[in-house]
Amino acid sequence: MQKAFLVDSSICLGCNTCAMACKNQYHQDNGIAWRKVREIGGETYREDQNNFLPTVTWYAKAPQAQMPEERYYFSLACNHCENPACVEVCPAGAQTKDPITGIVKHDQELCIGCKGCVLACPFGASKYNERLGKSEKCSMCWERQDEGLLPACVQSCPTGSIALIDIHDPAYANAGTTDPLGIDYAIGSSTKPSTRFVHPSLPAKMHRL
Amino acid sequence: MSTHPSPVDALLREGVSRRNFLKGLLASGAVASFPGGALAAEPYVDTKIPFTGKKSYTTFRNACPRNCYDTCSIKTFVKDGVIQFIEGAKESTFTNGGTCVKGNSYVRRVYSPDRIKYPMMQVGGKGSGTWKRISWDEAMDTIAKKLLAIKKEDGHLLGAALTKYSGNFGITHYGVEGMFSSIGYTTRFAGTPCWPAGIDAQNLDMGAMWCNDPEEMKDSKYIILWGANPAANSVHSMKYIFEAKKKGAKVVVIDPVFTEAASKASEWIQVKVGSDGLLALGMAKIIIDANMHDKEWLAKNTKGYKEFKAYLDTINLRDVAETSGLSLELISQIALEFAKADPATIWSGYGLQRHTNGGSMIRAIDALVAITGNIGKYAGGSRYGHLDTWGFNYHAMSMEKPAGSVGYVGGKRMGEFGHGAAGEEKPDYDDRYLNINKTAREILNSDPKVRLLWVACKNTFAQDFDRNLLIEAFKSLEMVVVVDEFFNETTKWADIVLPVTTQFEEYDVNVSYWHYWLSINEQAIKPLHEAKNDLEIAALLSKKLNALEKGSCTFPEYVDTKQWTAKEFNAGIYEKFGISSWEELKNGPVKAKPVIPYADGKFFTPSGKYEFYSETSKEYGWKALPEYVEVRKPYDKFRLTTPHSRFSLHSQFQNLDWMEEFNAEPFVYINTKDATDKRVETGDIVAVFSKVGLLRVKAKVTDNVPSGTVMMYEQWFNNNIYNVNELVDDTSSDMGAFKTGAPGVALHDAYVNFRKI
């Protein structure tokens, strides 16, 4: 099993409910958000406000989509990769991949704050918390899932544009793509990010003055 | 409910930027002037909360009371007396387990270090920023003495004015009005800045403002979102629109702005601002000319169709095309598609009627829906809003005047103050009503003079118009009392501020003006700091007034919000929602029994029919028919449009640090062409100025707004002087006086210019 987020940008309103629902559940410190809603189109999403895109790979390619700014979005958090780089580099065993669900968990008790995961993640999903001197990241609300609840972001999305799927389940084999339109997402990353995307589209007809 | 003091205290002291700020203040010795009162600098406390399992929380039922279509039903998770997190209530199919971005920030709002903690007095005078903490007793003593002095000196209490609006739409909050009734005849700011022109329009046409259940939209075949942007302002409605679209319905957005909703539509039509009414009339004409109108429905259910048809015959479709900026082919296509689809519906947004011709535009759209026979139909309807589920007792506001109260002379002598000439009959008194949308002007011109102003459930400076005149008006007042959760620009011009509770700290009941769900607010936590709810404040004031002068106030001297919430229910509410006791709401929100508005062909107009021709409209000095009225002429280069942001509800929520995380600063959105002309690029600071004020704000260059229009969201940021009402004058919309007592404001007919600085 590899649990994953299916992000459907065709019905994403950019309302940021998912990102705030995550704050509501975890009370992340100011300046740290495990989930962020990024705009597609223009250059703005590349001016990263949260060190979300720390590696050179991110800046290598220009955005592909010509979408009006502030109208098309992707909601992004940890990709819970199939071969997570963070797990590989963590010397303290604080980052682990759950063998059953595929969720990449972070144990703050064990974290020694070496920033290895922050540097290793091609997606900037691990955040370094200066105040705690430790890392942290999206847990896919595994504690909630253990109780039969959906992750806070999924449950809170007003249109169902974030869903929880198992990419190894044949039923989801064709669910979305690994390529988030307009964002160079390190598609070829050897970590094999699990997140799947449905691309947005402009209205069939647009009549401008 | 167990209360464990330490985690609460810890949470209250949180805030790293705050700590540094306070350290700075301590060093400068300026803490006493800080509005929140002297807080000791405390180490940052980790509030990160692991989910500890459903069973470890006590859950409470709550609802968001903040003037929003969605009025979300909330489930609150409390541990050790502290709210840990909230969720949307799953029992409500509308909320469906989620709230919006704003609702998800509630924990931060409740435990914000910026909340007003104690009654405070601005000892250095209004705007000085020099505050002193006072006790509730001292606050009430000061206010009560002022009220009694006004009564003694003036012989009446018309010098005491109340301005209250939509900061909290909970039913028991009408107790604020009750408090003002209980001291005598007073002055009230009447009307609404929000939707009055449209309310009047729908009342003229149908005798009520009553819309179909939004959940029905999933079965609509054709949906026109006309100046409505639910993707930002009613996010839960979008799932029904998407469902309809998935089933093959066409979703058309008519809006000058490429809104979030427009980006998700089947077709977006950019229309010239203020021409929407004419466009609707043109569409109606095309449908009738094509013989696609619902003749049977029209014959049976309407009044004045013949006159309306005769008026449409005078409309030249080429004028419609030119005025709206659309091709005749496009107008015909949309009109005929709309007429053909069954059922089809139009949702008119509130921005549409914030024009000098706004009411007439809503009437034209109503007429378009009516001629296609989509009114009174499942999944059809001309949607604007409804007050169908608001039939509470309003017990909280039903207070009698103290014996011997003197006020405005009622009836035909309205507007003239006095006891009546000798020999005349003893006059019946009334409260004095001033126009809420001209607050500044009304205060300055009032006679008898407004001397004390009480502001509740409202951030006047963020919501009312012509900010610079408002400052003058507030300075002219002898006492301004502001009841709020946060220090803001209105408290800046106050003499006394009183801390008020959030909905998690009191009992209350909430319904929506859009969906048909009913929720209660349970008291989930004890009130923080020294905050009191609006009812308790009224009771305290009553106690003080009566102590100083027996019989001067009829408001009860003790209230319990739970008991007062229970008093709001009646048999009609129970029948409508299919419950036998309000206590059932503790199990979750309930929905009203489904009703299709006007399905029985009964309208609440004088004729009992849908009125294309309205005598009432004529009586108010407007056109009897939904005729085209030209919009306000420009008085400057660029139209300013000030829609609502998805990150705030008027001035609420954007001030929270969590919200700043996702929406850090305000912008002025400028069309690419206009920006090129003015040599402005994204990121430049521009000065936007109008005949009433000036604002400096960062530019974003975008094709989402049309050339000739600049857009600035209506928001209040903490620690940022941005206030869009700096630029908006108080020109009235056409309608509003009929049902809400005062016309609305032509907010989107403000004009500005800008330049790079």
Side-chain angles (χ1 to χ4, degrees):
Chain A
M1 191 195 282
Q2 175 59 59
K3 289 201 177 188
F5 294 113
L6 174 65
V7 178
D8 185 350
S9 290
S10 71
I11 53 170
C12 173
L13 311 174
C15 70
N16 279 269
T17 301
C18 51
M20 192 64 88
C22 185
K23 283 253 180 193
N24 164 56
Q25 187 75 73
Y26 295 100
H27 296 204
Q28 292 125 23
D29 284 354
N30 288 342
I32 295 176
W34 293 353
R35 179 170 283 285
K36 277 223 160 182
V37 177
R38 329 217 115 244
E39 286 166 25
I40 301 164
E43 302 289 317
T44 47
Y45 64 84
R46 300 204 301 176
E47 288 164 19
D48 193 68
Q49 298 151 1
N50 195 29
N51 281 331
F52 202 93
L53 321 169
T55 62
V56 184
T57 332
W58 282 92
Y59 297 89
K61 288 186 207 163
Q64 299 147 18
Q66 291 302 313
M67 293 287 185
E69 283 179 58
E70 295 207 326
R71 294 296 178 260
Y72 294 95
Y73 313 88
F74 280 125
S75 174
L76 294 173
C78 171
N79 291 299
H80 300 277
C81 299
E82 296 198 63
N83 305 316
C86 54
V87 172
E88 206 156 306
V89 300
C90 181
Q95 307 265 88
T96 51
K97 187 164 174 68
D98 188 298
I100 298 166
T101 60
I103 295 172
V104 178
K105 297 178 178 176
H106 174 85
D107 187 338
Q108 252 188 341
E109 294 286 307
L110 298 177
C111 179
I112 56 169
C114 72
K115 295 191 191 177
C117 55
V118 178
L119 295 167
C121 176
F123 309 100
S126 279
K127 316 287 179 194
Y128 184 70
N129 184 323
E130 295 279 352
R131 183 179 62 80
L132 299 173
K134 293 183 180 203
S135 303
E136 54 182 277
K137 70 165 196 68
C138 158
S139 66
M140 209 183 248
C141 289
W142 63 265
E143 303 95 331
R144 285 176 59 97
Q145 289 199 52
D146 278 357
E147 293 224 356
L149 302 171
L150 288 168
C153 55
V154 175
Q155 183 179 317
S156 191
C157 177
T159 63
S161 88
I162 310 180
L164 198 61
I165 58 166
D166 172 8
I167 56 170
H168 291 170
D169 182 339
Y172 297 107
N174 298 316
T177 103
T178 55
D179 167 24
L181 184 71
I183 299 179
D184 172 11
Y185 198 62
I187 298 161
S189 171
S190 59
T191 64
K192 292 179 79 180
S194 69
T195 310
R196 295 295 181 265
F197 301 93
V198 176
H199 290 176
S201 56
L202 291 161
K205 286 185 188 164
M206 294 172 55
H207 307 273
R208 286 187 185 273
L209 287 171
Chain B
M1 192 177 74
S2 72
T3 304
H4 195 278
S6 57
V8 184
D9 291 342
L11 281 162
L12 298 182
R13 287 194 295 262
E14 174 205 356
V16 75
S17 57
R18 177 107 182 152
R19 181 191 59 186
N20 293 335
F21 180 46
L22 284 166
K23 266 184 184 166
L25 285 173
L26 281 168
S28 66
V31 157
S33 70
F34 185 71
L39 280 175
E42 293 287 339
Y44 192 98
V45 178
D46 186 9
T47 64
K48 197 169 151 190
I49 46 161
F51 178 78
T52 50
K54 276 184 283 189
K55 288 199 185 107
S56 61
Y57 304 100
T58 316
T59 57
F60 295 88
R61 295 295 178 173
N62 289 100
C64 186
R66 315 219 175 271
N67 190 358
C68 171
Y69 288 100
D70 289 14
T71 305
C72 289
S73 305
I74 293 172
K75 197 170 179 183
T76 306
F77 293 75
V78 175
K79 203 162 112 181
D80 297 336
V82 179
I83 301 173
Q84 300 285 303
F85 63 96
I86 65 142
E87 283 181 2
K90 275 194 173 148
E91 291 80 3
S92 161
T93 47
F94 188 83
T95 306
N96 195 27
T99 70
C100 74
V101 62
K102 301 164 288 251
N104 273 305
S105 71
Y106 260 127
V107 180
R108 198 57 171 179
R109 177 169 170 147
V110 172
Y111 296 110
S112 170
D114 291 339
R115 264 187 76 178
I116 301 172
K117 298 174 182 64
Y118 330 105
M120 301 286 285
M121 188 185 276
Q122 192 159 208
V123 289
K126 294 187 194 77
S128 68
T130 307
W131 294 85
K132 183 184 138 197
R133 177 180 173 180
I134 55 173
S135 67
W136 272 102
D137 188 64
E138 202 179 343
M140 288 301 135
D141 195 59
T142 310
I143 299 163
K145 279 179 178 156
K146 185 73 196 175
L147 286 169
L148 294 173
I150 290 171
K151 189 160 75 172
K152 196 172 173 201
E153 287 157 26
D154 295 356
H156 54 79
L157 267 166
L158 294 170
L162 169 66
T163 186
K164 168 177 177 272
Y165 196 54
S166 69
N168 190 325
F169 264 156
I171 304 299
T172 68
H173 284 261
Y174 289 94
V176 181
E177 282 91 337
M179 174 181 77
F180 258 66
S181 295
S182 70
I183 58 174
Y185 294 97
T186 53
T187 295
R188 312 293 178 84
F189 282 89
T192 130
C194 183
W195 56 344
I199 293 177
D200 275 15
Q202 290 228 309
N203 272 282
L204 295 173
D205 294 335
M206 294 172 271
M209 173 189 63
W210 191 17
C211 64
N212 292 50
D213 181 353
E215 299 183 31
E216 288 170 7
M217 279 193 294
K218 70 182 193 304
D219 293 318
S220 302
K221 297 280 164 45
Y222 204 93
I223 300 170
I224 299 182
L225 302 177
W226 205 317
N229 183 16
N233 305 121
S234 178
V235 289
H236 295 92
S237 295
M238 286 304 289
K239 63 177 171 287
Y240 305 111
I241 294 167
F242 284 141
E243 195 179 334
K245 205 176 158 198
K246 211 171 171 183
K247 289 195 288 190
K250 186 159 179 178
V251 179
V252 175
V253 171
I254 301 177
D255 202 306
V257 177
F258 187 60
T259 59
E260 291 88 344
S263 75
K264 303 291 176 283
S266 320
E267 196 158 339
W268 169 53
I269 297 172
Q270 191 172 41
V271 65
K272 279 191 197 162
V273 179
S275 71
D276 309 71
L278 186 60
L279 176 60
L281 295 169
M283 287 166 70
K285 182 184 167 81
I286 290 165
I287 291 166
I288 294 168
D289 287 351
N291 202 25
M292 287 172 76
H293 51 306
D294 189 336
K295 291 165 277 287
E296 199 184 317
W297 189 87
L298 287 166
K300 205 170 144 199
N301 298 302
T302 65
K303 178 196 164 204
Y305 172 68
K306 213 181 267 176
E307 289 89 338
F308 179 56
K309 166 80 170 63
Y311 170 70
L312 288 182
D313 288 340
T314 68
I315 288 178
N316 184 336
L317 288 174
R318 276 195 301 272
D319 291 344
V320 177
E322 193 178 321
T323 307
S324 64
L326 310 176
S327 74
L328 212 48
E329 292 72 34
L330 177 63
I331 299 170
S332 296
Q333 175 218 316
I334 299 294
L336 298 179
E337 281 176 3
F338 181 74
K340 205 187 271 179
D342 182 23
T345 187
I346 299 180
W347 177 352
S348 298
Y350 301 139
L352 193 55
Q353 44 95 53
R354 291 181 186 133
H355 292 282
T356 54
N357 62 352
S360 72
M361 297 209 287
I362 299 288
R363 286 201 72 199
I365 292 170
D366 285 347
L368 170 61
V369 182
I371 62 148
T372 57
N374 275 302
I375 286 174
K377 203 181 261 184
Y378 172 81
S382 182
R383 296 161 192 270
Y384 184 72
H386 79 86
L387 296 173
D388 193 52
T389 51
W390 292 66
F392 294 92
N393 292 334
Y394 298 92
H395 161 78
M397 70 187 288
S398 57
M399 300 300 144
E400 283 182 14
K401 310 282 180 194
S405 293
V406 175
Y408 240 50
V409 175
K412 57 183 188 288
R413 296 191 55 186
M414 176 100 171
E416 184 190 342
F417 176 74
H419 300 270
E424 275 189 16
E425 274 181 45
K426 194 169 180 283
D428 291 317
Y429 293 121
D430 198 358
D431 290 318
R432 171 172 61 170
Y433 291 94
L434 301 177
N435 182 352
I436 199 168
N437 293 319
K438 295 187 188 288
T439 296
R441 234 172 271 274
E442 294 276 46
I443 291 171
L444 289 167
N445 300 334
S446 57
D447 180 24
K449 182 85 181 81
V450 173
R451 299 173 61 185
L452 176 146
L453 179 68
W454 187 287
V455 184
C457 304
K458 187 161 196 275
N459 181 354
T460 299
F461 274 78
Q463 299 307 309
D464 291 324
F465 313 98
D466 200 342
R467 176 180 161 273
N468 292 303
L469 201 63
L470 264 179
I471 294 173
E472 206 180 302
F474 269 56
K475 281 182 172 170
S476 79
L477 295 164
E478 292 166 35
M479 185 179 288
V480 176
V481 181
V482 177
V483 184
D484 211 324
E485 289 171 21
F486 293 97
F487 281 92
N488 53 41
E489 215 197 339
T490 305
T491 63
K492 185 177 169 184
W493 303 104
D495 296 288
I496 291 175
V497 299
L498 304 173
V500 75
T501 45
T502 65
Q503 80 267 27
F504 299 99
E505 298 155 86
E506 63 191 28
Y507 267 89
D508 202 357
V509 57
N510 283 89
V511 284
S512 159
Y513 47 77
W514 185 239
H515 63 64
Y516 283 84
W517 289 87
L518 165 67
S519 315
I520 54 160
N521 265 304
E522 288 186 276
Q523 187 183 355
I525 53 167
K526 288 184 177 173
L528 287 163
H529 318 292
E530 289 187 10
K532 291 189 186 298
N533 64 66
D534 277 318
L535 290 174
E536 285 176 320
I537 293 170
L540 269 188
L541 183 64
S542 183
K543 201 170 174 187
K544 180 60 77 176
L545 277 165
N546 285 320
L548 291 168
E549 186 185 308
K550 211 171 171 212
S552 62
C553 184
T554 63
F555 204 90
E557 295 181 11
Y558 171 79
V559 292
D560 176 320
T561 56
K562 188 174 177 180
Q563 288 166 10
W564 278 53
T565 299
K567 283 179 186 174
E568 293 295 351
F569 288 84
N570 54 48
I573 290 278
Y574 289 148
E575 163 64 21
K576 193 177 270 293
F577 288 94
I579 52 173
S580 53
S581 158
W582 73 275
E583 302 264 357
E584 287 178 40
L585 295 168
K586 291 181 173 181
N587 302 324
V590 293
K591 190 178 177 181
K593 292 173 184 165
V595 182
I596 311 295
Y598 317 115
D600 55 2
K602 283 187 191 131
F603 291 87
F604 306 103
T605 53
S607 66
K609 290 176 180 296
Y610 182 96
E611 294 195 352
F612 290 104
Y613 189 95
S614 165
E615 295 286 353
T616 314
S617 186
K618 235 165 89 176
E619 280 163 28
Y620 275 84
W622 310 316
K623 312 253 187 204
L625 290 166
E627 291 182 29
Y628 171 57
V629 178
E630 267 187 56
V631 75
R632 188 184 191 185
K633 291 262 181 295
Y635 55 82
D636 215 328
K637 279 246 172 191
F638 296 90
R639 178 184 292 277
L640 171 68
T641 184
T642 58
H644 295 173
S645 154
R646 56 187 185 245
F647 298 106
S648 60
L649 261 162
H650 298 296
S651 65
Q652 307 200 61
F653 294 104
Q654 182 58 73
N655 60 314
L656 304 176
D657 53 357
W658 284 5
M659 201 63 84
E660 285 171 342
E661 188 104 33
F662 304 113
N663 187 41
E665 57 181 335
F667 295 98
V668 55
Y669 296 83
I670 302 170
N671 178 271
T672 316
K673 183 189 168 295
D674 301 334
T676 310
D677 291 348
K678 296 264 190 181
R679 306 278 190 273
V680 171
E681 289 175 21
T682 292
D684 286 347
I685 304 291
V686 296
V688 187
F689 45 93
S690 74
K691 64 181 184 182
V692 293
L694 179 147
L695 256 185
R696 290 176 191 83
V697 61
K698 204 180 265 184
K700 264 196 187 179
V701 179
T702 174
D703 281 338
N704 293 340
V705 294
S707 176
T709 294
V710 296
M711 180 171 83
M712 293 162 87
Y713 288 114
E714 173 238 21
Q715 280 178 306
W716 171 61
F717 289 80
N718 202 12
N719 303 319
N720 188 317
I721 59 157
Y722 176 84
N723 179 352
V724 84
N725 287 328
E726 173 84 28
L727 301 168
V728 181
D729 69 353
D730 60 1
T731 289
S732 296
S733 60
D734 49 354
M735 296 176 190
F738 170 37
K739 280 290 167 184
T740 67
V745 178
L747 273 160
H748 299 315
D749 288 335
Y751 289 87
V752 297
N753 204 339
F754 66 91
R755 67 182 169 80
K756 188 175 163 175
I757 48 174

